[in-house]
Amino acid sequence: MLRYIAKRLGYSVLVLVGVSVIAFGLLRLAPGNPARLMLPEGASEQEVAALAEKLGLNKPLITQYLLYMRGVVTGDLGTSLFYKKPNLELITQSLGPTFVLTTVAIVVALCISIPLGIVAALKKGTVLDFVAMFFALLGQSMSPVWLGVLLIYIFSVSLGILPAFGYGKLSNLVMPAITLGTPLAALTTRLTRAGMFEVLQEDYILAARARGLPFVKVVLVYALKNVLIPVVTVVGLQFGTFLGGAIVTEQIFNWPGIGRLSVSAVMSRDFPLVQACILVVSALFVFVNLAVDIIYTWIDPRVRLG
Amino acid sequence: MARDVVRAKRERVGTVLLAFVLVFALLAGCAGKQAGPPAQAKEKVVVFARPEDVQFWDPQDHFNLVSWMMDKLIYNTLVEVTPDGQVVPALATEWSVSQDGTVWTFKLRQGVKFHNGEVFDGQSVKVTLERFLNEKLRQGPLWGDLAGVDVVDPYTVNIRLKRPNGALLTALSLTSMLPPKAFAEKGKSLFDHPIGTGPFEFVEYVRGDRIVLKKYPGYWGEKAKVDKIIYRPITEDATRVAGVKTGEIDIADTIPVDDVPALSQDPNIKLIRELAWDQIYLGFKCDKPPFNDKRVRQAVSLALDREAIVTHIMKGGRPSSGLVPQGCLGFHEGLSAPKRDLNKAKELLRQAGYATVKVNLIAPEGWYPKTKEVLEAIRGQLLEAGIETTLTLLDGAAFAERRAAGNYDVYYTGGAHPGGDPDFIFYQRVHDDAMKSGYRNDALNELIEKGRAASDRAERANYYKQAQEIMNEEAAPMIFVYQMEQILAARKNVTGFVVRGDKITDLRYVDKTE
């Protein structure tokens, strides 16, 4: 197992180097000079050139890239052109809120969708099943923009029981978590339902029941583990994606997360910050995937890594 | 029999799981209810929201309206320009200019203290202004003519210029005075906790979430009426509007015009609609066909239906009559926005030798409201005159690049006038031709230079009026489409704030009654 992890970590480093090269290159290819964007509209060419020089944007690309990588290795992810603060500081400040939002959204989504999916499978064909599937369809069809704003209008403007925006209290977390988690909950409900229904047909389930094991134990212990494999995959991927910043949700609810940070960095062509964000998010994604693979071995003993 | 037992058990599991689901839903709702809206504190707090965050805390190193708004609360400037164009004393009590216009003498106010106890005097002015000589700052372009600052005595300073520049007063109204000792000690890290002479002190800044300022009881002037001002950057329009409705926000800026009907029905909210000192214009590439021909440019101007755009798309604002918007120094009441005249437009094109014209129009995405709709309208209007326009909507950065390189036939953009002074835009975009239109008119440039150099504001206004007459006649290097409107929504019990055309809203004397 340890050798496997070491090997995977090695691959991860390669992946991250590749990502950094691509990010660096793509950013430089896109038209748009950060120096120009920082000065008032219509600044003269000399002013733009002077600022570009000061920011080190005129050095040859290879030099810029190597300087950047040297920094990364020593833990210095560069300084934001716009905020004039170390990127690492900006990112770590933003990761906290994103992490909180992501975790809560996923936990809430799973707490609702897995039981719902199980019940739907058990009661297949009944009203309960229909309701669950309707919810799943709705959840996957609704745009987070629409859902988020709708929630604000219902719970903040009309009912006045939740704050419309902001970050800090538990009440701030409710609507963003629901907005972010709903599409995932919808998907997981369907996966759980389909998986559970299939698994319950299996011979080993019948055998367990025949041995006299209580139904609840059969469902929750034997069947669920096998149903969870696709669910874990999806959740793992989604977690990584969400960590990259639930951009839309963060925008609507004014959540100070890494999604918002990345977007504004891109819009202002803040090269160092964008690169740093991409690198950090990619690293997180890679490690989350590694964690998911390790969790597999716990869930499904047939899986051997390495 | 066994089957019944199994079914019974299944029902039980099903019920348990369903209960599980419902409990969670309930918990989520309850968590919300308990936390609820914040309790009414004893202190008076006013919350102001706008889409942008304050990114720049160095008061000289930004060109950002939100930053200036915050600066107005934390700092003071030597003079101020009121919304109707009067220059009034602030940290300076009187001033005069030398015969040749290159030396301005300011007498400073006594008994003013910074939030950290430092005394305000000539040193502060010297240290603040000389930054422009020593550092490359974003407000640098406002101080290009600065030669130096001399402290004659603690409360008298001479500001020396390389050449006469009447726009100095406007520049001063945008330049916040720094505490010299603290700045010498801490340098730029001072701005992590800004210190000024203004009616409010800095408390905290949580990036992307809020800025908190509290009343400074030792202020030299009229004391603030509220205990705290909180600024919240909220990018999403719907969220900002919702915030005013629930009362979580007291004043919200940049309200989309489509939200106006709904908001005006709300008895707790008042809407403020005023002209902004910002206009949308079309800039021509004047050194190549077709816009090197004045007649073609005039044809475009006559083909535009500005009234229709203002009435039906923007639902507010006014058609533009010249470079200087209404409310700014140099506004020309004698000029009016060209009325649409399709026949004349077609006639001019014919005279210029074109049956039809094909042009490429570039525009920035997301910088101005309803850009797409206005562009579509313009394209339709121009087509009726025989001008075929290809619209290229670019992301902001890409647009800025192309515009700066002169890579366009015509571009769509806005121009705002901080401080209500057109000097900056006149110089940068016409005189110095930052957008590389290739247009050069010596008579026009001379008027712009005189407009800057004159010390008397009425004289400056005169030059600017003449400049606009030439620009309108020539339809170069740009023609003006419409002047924008700004819409704010405020709770009815909030008063005392002054809305300015440059969107540097003056919150110093905001008040909230219960």
Side-chain angles (χ1 to χ4, degrees):
Chain A
M1 173 70 107
L2 281 176
R3 260 187 44 190
Y4 175 74
I5 295 180
K7 198 167 69 165
R8 283 289 295 266
L9 284 176
Y11 284 150
S12 308
V13 171
L14 283 179
V15 165
L16 291 177
V17 169
V19 164
S20 73
V21 171
I22 294 175
F24 185 88
L26 280 180
L27 270 181
R28 299 293 189 290
L29 277 178
N33 183 338
R36 188 184 309 284
L37 292 172
M38 291 202 275
L39 292 168
E41 260 188 79
S44 73
E45 281 310 307
Q46 300 106 292
E47 284 160 0
V48 175
L51 187 56
E53 184 65 45
K54 179 173 137 180
L55 296 172
L57 296 171
N58 292 336
K59 300 203 183 87
L61 286 184
I62 297 278
T63 317
Q64 288 189 50
Y65 180 72
L66 290 173
L67 281 173
Y68 168 65
M69 286 314 275
R70 185 178 70 183
V72 169
V73 172
T74 55
D76 168 24
L77 289 178
T79 313
S80 160
L81 293 179
F82 260 72
Y83 294 102
K84 302 208 170 144
K85 278 188 157 11
N87 290 331
L88 194 57
E89 188 187 313
L90 294 168
I91 292 177
T92 42
Q93 276 174 3
S94 313
L95 271 183
T98 299
F99 192 78
V100 167
L101 178 60
T102 305
T103 314
V104 172
I106 291 182
V107 165
V108 170
L110 289 180
C111 284
I112 294 184
S113 62
I114 293 184
L116 202 59
I118 294 175
V119 168
L122 294 177
K123 302 274 186 192
K124 188 167 199 281
T126 64
V127 172
L128 209 57
D129 182 23
F130 181 75
V131 166
M133 284 304 99
F134 183 68
F135 156 73
L137 182 63
L138 212 61
Q140 279 197 293
S141 320
M142 279 200 287
S143 133
V145 177
W146 192 76
L147 178 60
V149 177
L150 186 68
L151 288 175
I152 293 180
Y153 266 81
I154 296 177
F155 291 102
S156 301
V157 180
S158 293
L159 296 177
I161 56 176
L162 288 176
F165 58 87
Y167 170 73
K169 297 204 280 282
L170 193 65
S171 52
N172 291 117
L173 199 47
V174 176
M175 291 193 293
I178 295 178
T179 307
L180 191 58
T182 299
L184 178 64
L187 180 59
T188 331
T189 307
R190 286 165 59 162
L191 280 176
T192 310
R193 172 184 178 271
M196 180 59 77
F197 187 68
E198 220 181 279
V199 160
L200 286 177
Q201 319 272 26
E202 293 281 336
D203 285 344
Y204 66 87
I205 298 289
L206 187 57
R209 295 283 308 287
R211 285 212 305 278
L213 291 172
F215 187 64
V216 178
K217 180 163 181 196
V218 171
V219 166
L220 291 182
V221 175
Y222 290 89
L224 195 60
K225 252 199 201 172
N226 296 306
V227 173
L228 281 185
I229 295 174
V231 173
V232 165
T233 314
V234 165
V235 169
L237 284 175
Q238 281 291 78
F239 191 66
T241 312
F242 284 167
L243 281 183
I247 294 170
V248 172
T249 310
E250 286 180 7
Q251 196 85 329
I252 296 175
F253 292 98
N254 232 46
W255 199 261
I258 198 165
R260 263 184 32 166
L261 184 68
S262 315
V263 169
S264 63
V266 170
M267 298 299 268
S268 43
R269 299 293 191 274
D270 192 341
F271 296 155
L273 185 53
V274 177
Q275 278 163 216
C277 285
I278 293 180
L279 202 61
V280 170
V281 169
S282 308
L284 286 171
F285 197 85
V286 163
F287 292 126
V288 165
N289 274 326
L290 181 54
V292 166
D293 283 347
I294 293 175
I295 292 178
Y296 273 166
T297 61
W298 174 67
I299 296 182
D300 186 351
R302 292 173 299 177
V303 173
R304 285 263 172 278
L305 298 174
Chain B
M1 239 273 284
R3 206 179 289 151
D4 292 317
V5 172
V6 164
R7 184 172 299 147
K9 283 204 169 148
R10 240 190 239 174
E11 315 273 86
R12 249 185 292 152
V13 172
T15 323
V16 165
L17 288 170
L18 195 58
F20 202 57
V21 169
L22 289 173
V23 163
F24 259 95
L26 212 67
L27 274 180
C30 279
K33 239 183 226 149
Q34 271 160 17
Q40 267 315 89
K42 295 264 173 60
E43 42 174 29
K44 255 195 215 176
V45 180
V46 167
V47 180
F48 184 94
R50 206 178 242 188
E52 308 90 4
D53 192 8
V54 176
Q55 293 174 321
F56 312 110
W57 284 97
D58 181 336
Q60 276 76 52
D61 202 12
H62 70 73
F63 217 86
N64 184 280
L65 300 175
V66 180
S67 297
W68 263 312
M69 201 173 71
M70 290 293 116
D71 291 347
K72 232 194 195 14
L73 298 170
I74 300 174
Y75 302 94
N76 286 120
T77 55
L78 288 188
V79 301
E80 290 172 18
V81 180
T82 61
D84 49 328
Q86 302 297 322
V87 181
V88 297
L91 285 179
T93 51
E94 42 178 286
W95 54 89
S96 57
V97 60
S98 64
Q99 270 287 39
D100 65 351
T102 59
V103 182
W104 286 73
T105 307
F106 289 85
K107 287 248 177 283
L108 304 176
R109 191 176 298 273
Q110 306 194 19
V112 176
K113 286 228 172 77
F114 283 92
H115 301 148
N116 64 351
E118 267 186 71
V119 171
F120 167 75
D121 62 16
Q123 260 312 97
S124 169
V125 180
K126 186 175 170 75
V127 166
T128 308
L129 293 184
E130 284 189 344
R131 290 188 69 193
F132 293 109
L133 298 175
N134 305 328
E135 304 174 52
K136 265 237 157 302
L137 300 166
R138 290 190 183 98
Q139 277 166 32
L142 293 175
W143 289 98
D145 283 338
L146 180 68
V149 179
D150 305 317
V151 179
V152 173
D153 64 58
Y155 295 101
T156 312
V157 290
N158 281 343
I159 300 182
R160 280 178 291 111
L161 302 173
K162 295 179 194 152
R163 45 184 186 173
N165 186 330
L168 171 74
L169 290 176
T170 316
L172 278 173
S173 75
L174 295 167
T175 308
S176 305
M177 290 293 130
L178 301 176
K181 291 201 192 76
F183 184 62
E185 261 174 52
K186 302 195 194 157
K188 295 221 179 165
S189 69
L190 170 65
F191 305 127
D192 290 334
H193 191 112
I195 295 186
T197 57
F200 284 89
E201 279 183 84
F202 175 87
V203 176
E204 70 166 345
Y205 167 52
V206 179
R207 195 175 39 78
D209 190 55
R210 65 182 177 276
I211 299 170
V212 181
L213 304 176
K214 73 169 190 239
K215 172 174 169 173
Y216 173 53
Y219 185 55
W220 57 268
E222 199 189 320
K223 313 272 188 286
K225 299 200 166 68
V226 300
D227 299 297
K228 279 208 177 122
I229 291 184
I230 300 182
Y231 174 82
R232 313 215 56 170
I234 300 179
T235 20
E236 184 64 36
D237 292 334
T239 315
R240 216 161 52 250
V241 171
V244 189
K245 285 185 156 170
T246 63
E248 290 166 78
I249 300 176
D250 293 303
I251 310 173
D253 192 297
T254 319
I255 304 289
V257 73
D258 296 325
D259 283 308
V260 167
L263 284 172
S264 41
Q265 310 278 10
D266 192 321
N268 296 317
I269 295 180
K270 59 184 176 195
L271 285 169
I272 298 125
R273 301 179 73 161
E274 284 197 21
L275 284 175
W277 297 336
D278 197 351
Q279 303 188 102
I280 290 288
Y281 67 85
L282 297 175
F284 295 116
K285 192 88 172 83
C286 303
D287 55 9
K288 68 175 182 40
F291 293 120
N292 55 346
D293 189 326
K294 172 166 109 174
R295 290 169 294 197
V296 183
R297 301 194 296 260
Q298 285 172 337
V300 171
S301 188
L302 288 169
L304 285 181
D305 190 348
R306 295 167 174 82
E307 284 289 346
I309 293 176
V310 167
T311 314
H312 299 298
I313 302 180
M314 303 313 300
K315 301 186 188 139
R318 63 176 270 278
S320 293
S321 49
L323 184 144
V324 183
Q326 187 171 323
C328 290
L329 176 72
F331 176 63
H332 199 326
E333 301 85 0
L335 290 176
S336 51
K339 284 236 173 318
R340 187 175 208 217
D341 191 338
L342 265 183
N343 291 330
K344 185 113 189 279
K346 290 185 194 162
E347 176 57 37
L348 283 167
L349 278 183
R350 223 180 349 253
Q351 282 176 16
Y354 293 95
T356 56
V357 182
K358 281 195 171 49
V359 296
N360 191 355
L361 187 149
I362 61 172
E365 175 130 43
W367 281 6
Y368 310 106
K370 307 217 172 177
T371 302
K372 287 205 184 85
E373 289 90 330
V374 176
L375 286 175
E376 292 287 337
I378 290 179
R379 179 178 36 194
Q381 290 164 5
L382 295 183
L383 194 57
E384 288 180 338
I387 305 168
E388 285 176 40
T389 328
T390 315
L391 297 175
T392 309
L393 201 57
L394 299 163
D395 109 294
F399 169 77
E401 277 308 302
R402 277 190 64 169
R403 186 181 60 173
N407 184 354
Y408 57 82
D409 289 322
V410 53
Y411 66 86
Y412 172 101
T413 198
H417 303 260
D421 196 321
D423 167 73
F424 193 62
I425 297 228
F426 260 124
Y427 239 89
Q428 213 193 39
R429 304 191 192 193
V430 182
H431 188 279
D432 294 337
D433 197 17
M435 317 303 194
K436 299 222 175 32
S437 71
Y439 181 72
R440 213 203 133 102
N441 183 323
D442 292 322
L444 177 59
N445 285 350
E446 202 189 315
L447 285 168
I448 297 175
E449 285 161 20
K450 287 198 179 138
R452 166 179 280 191
S455 320
D456 173 59
R457 280 174 78 90
E459 206 185 321
R460 293 183 63 207
N462 230 337
Y463 288 126
Y464 289 140
K465 288 184 189 174
Q466 293 174 49
Q468 288 174 87
E469 281 165 12
I470 296 182
M471 282 181 69
N472 281 18
E473 160 59 28
E474 291 277 304
M478 61 266 295
I479 57 171
F480 297 87
V481 184
Y482 68 90
Q483 181 168 354
M484 300 188 231
E485 177 190 38
Q486 50 174 330
I487 307 176
L488 291 88
R491 305 288 296 172
K492 280 242 167 81
N493 63 343
V494 180
T495 52
F497 57 98
V498 181
V499 175
R500 294 172 52 101
D502 56 9
K503 295 204 180 178
I504 304 176
T505 315
D506 191 347
L507 292 169
R508 287 177 294 183
Y509 300 112
V510 67
D511 196 3
K512 191 165 159 177
T513 52
E514 281 319 310

